[in-house]
Amino acid sequence: MSTVVRLPEDAAARPFSPPFNVQKIRADFPILEEMARGHHLVYLDNAATSQKPRAVIDAIVGYYEHGNANIHRGVHYLSEKATQDFESARQAVQRFLRAKQASEIIFVRSATEAINLVAQTYGRVHLGEGDEVVISAMEHHSNIVPWQLLCEQKRARLVIAPINDAGELILHEFEHLLGARTRIVAVGHVSNALGTINPLPEIIAMAHKKHIPVLVDGAQAAPHLSIDVQALDADFYAISGHKMYGPTGIGVLYGKIALLDEMPPYQGGGDMISSVTFEKTVYNKVPHKFEAGTPDMSGAVGLHAAIDYLDGIGMDNIARYEHELLAYASEELSAISGVRLIGTARQKASVLSFIIEGIHPHDVGTILDQEGIAVRTGHHCAQPVMERFGIDATARASFALYNTREEIDALVGGIQKVKEVFA
Ligand code: PMP
C-alpha cells in the first residue's frame, strides 16, 4: 500500500530525518555536477524526467559492453545471458510492485504505452456503444486521450469525476458516477500537475463493489511511494522507467493474470506468437503475448539497476525525506507575497505547482533558468486541470531524493528575483 507521511505542524522548521544522507546520494548522480548558465545546476524538473544514478548508467554501458544479444530466440551464450538479464529485470519489477507473479509484468515503452495497451485490448473487448469509462479531472493527457480514442471507436462515453479547490478527488461524487454502464475506471496515483496522492484503497474498493476494474496511472508514484499492487488490489498499474531514475524507452504494465490471459494481443510481430501459418496464428502466453518484436533489453537492465538503487535506500525513507522537502518548500513559497500554490491537497507527493500574481509562468521559468534553476512551466500535459483552476499554466518545481533544502532556498531566491524584474 502507498505510504503517506503526515508531518507535524512545525516539521518545516526541524532538521531533516538524520538517516537520510542526501550528500552521499547526490554523489551518485554525475549530472548534478553540471553547471547551467554559469550556476550550479538546481534540477527541479523531476516530474518530467528524473536524473540517473551512476549505477543505472553503468548497467546500461555494461549491457552493451558485455551482454548484448537478441533475447528469447538464440541458443548461444550471449543470447541466453541477455534473456536471463531481461527476465531477471522482470522479476525485479515484480518485487518492486509486489505483484504475485512475474508474468503479470509486461515491458512496454512507457506509462503512456501501458495505458494505450489496456484501452486497446481490454477496452476494445469490454466496451460497447453507450458504455462508460470513468477517469478523474486531474489526469495527465496520457490517461485521457487513450480513453477518448477508445470511446470514439466504440461510441462509448468518457465520464469525469470532479476535484475540489484543493485538487482532491471528490470521493462521494466519484462513487455516484460508477454505474451499470461503467466498464473501467482509470485514475492517477499521484497527479503530475498538482501533486495530489489519490486515495486508491477507497477508489478501488468503490469500483470493485460494483465489479468495475481499475487502472492506476502510477507514473508519478513509482519514484516516491512504496507500491503494493496486491494490497491495493489494482487491476492494472502503469509506470515509466525514466521517471524513477531508470532509462527512457522502458515502462511497465502490471495486470492481474486473469485479466491479461483473456485480453487479445496489442501488437503483432515476433515473440508474441507460439506458431504462425498463413491460416492461423497461435499467440504466445502472457507476458510475451503483449511484447511483440525486439524489446528494450538495455532499458530493462537499466530499470533493474534503478530498482536496486531505490531498494538500497528504501522507498519509505525516500517518501519521508521528500515529504519533508515538500513541507519546507510549501511553507517557504506560500510565505512569498503574490505566490499562489495550485494543488493544496492534504496528501501530496513531491510536486509544487505555483503561479505569481501578474507574471506569466513562462517568464518565471525563463528567469529562474538564468539562475541555473530548472522548473517546468506550462500546462504539464494536464490542460483540464488548468481549466479547472481557471489558469493557462503554472510553474512547477518537482522534487527528487537528491534535492536539498539549499536548492529550495535557491528557488525562493530566484522567485524574489523574478518579482524584482517585474516590480
Ligand atoms: N501519467 C502521469 C501522471 C505523468 O506525469 C506522465 C508523464 N509526465 C505520464 C503519465 C506519461 O509518462 P510517459 O511520458 O513516460 O509515458
Side-chain angles (χ1 to χ4, degrees), residues 338-342 353-357 359 361 364 389 391 393-395:
V339 170
R340 178 180 153 211
L341 300 186
I342 304 294
S353 258
F354 62 94
I355 52 176
I356 309 179
E357 204 181 316
I359 309 175
V364 176
F389 285 88
I391 51 182
T394 71

Side-chain angles (χ1 to χ4, degrees), residues 47 110-113 115 140 142 190-192 217 219-220 240 242-243:
S110 58
T112 300
E113 189 172 47
I115 298 167
H140 185 278
S142 295
V190 173
S191 154
N192 70 308
D217 170 5
Q220 293 295 344
S240 272
H242 71 97
K243 296 202 194 271

Side-chain angles (χ1 to χ4, degrees), residues 176-355:
H176 193 65
L177 292 173
L178 303 175
R181 303 307 300 264
T182 313
R183 295 289 171 260
I184 191 163
V185 166
V187 285
H189 194 164
V190 173
S191 154
N192 70 308
L194 302 169
T196 310
I197 302 175
N198 271 318
L200 288 185
E202 286 89 339
I203 290 171
I204 293 172
M206 284 171 179
H208 283 180
K209 210 163 93 189
K210 297 184 177 166
H211 309 290
I212 303 163
V214 179
L215 174 139
V216 180
D217 170 5
Q220 293 295 344
H224 305 299
L225 304 174
S226 119
I227 296 161
D228 185 334
V229 289
Q230 289 187 76
L232 285 170
D233 204 17
D235 298 283
F236 300 104
Y237 198 100
I239 60 176
S240 272
H242 71 97
K243 296 202 194 271
M244 49 183 289
Y245 311 104
T248 48
I250 186 101
V252 168
L253 171 69
Y254 158 81
K256 283 182 182 166
I257 193 72
L259 294 171
L260 295 175
D261 266 340
E262 60 99 24
M263 281 154 54
Y266 177 47
Q267 294 172 334
D271 240 24
M272 53 75 72
I273 52 87
S274 58
S275 71
V276 177
T277 65
F278 288 121
E279 289 70 40
K280 182 171 173 54
T281 290
V282 178
Y283 304 129
N284 205 338
K285 56 188 190 323
V286 172
H288 311 295
K289 181 172 75 173
F290 296 107
E291 293 178 352
T294 301
D296 183 359
M297 285 97 67
S298 67
V301 167
L303 180 59
H304 189 169
I307 288 173
D308 285 349
Y309 183 80
L310 289 169
D311 279 347
I313 300 168
M315 290 311 295
D316 290 344
N317 291 330
I318 293 168
R320 195 176 310 112
Y321 175 73
E322 290 181 348
H323 202 99
E324 289 174 352
L325 269 185
L326 183 68
Y328 179 63
S330 305
E331 192 157 305
E332 291 293 305
L333 260 69
S334 359
I336 306 172
S337 72
V339 170
R340 178 180 153 211
L341 300 186
I342 304 294
T344 50
R346 283 159 292 181
Q347 311 271 319
K348 278 189 69 172
S350 274
V351 168
L352 203 58
S353 258
F354 62 94
I355 52 176

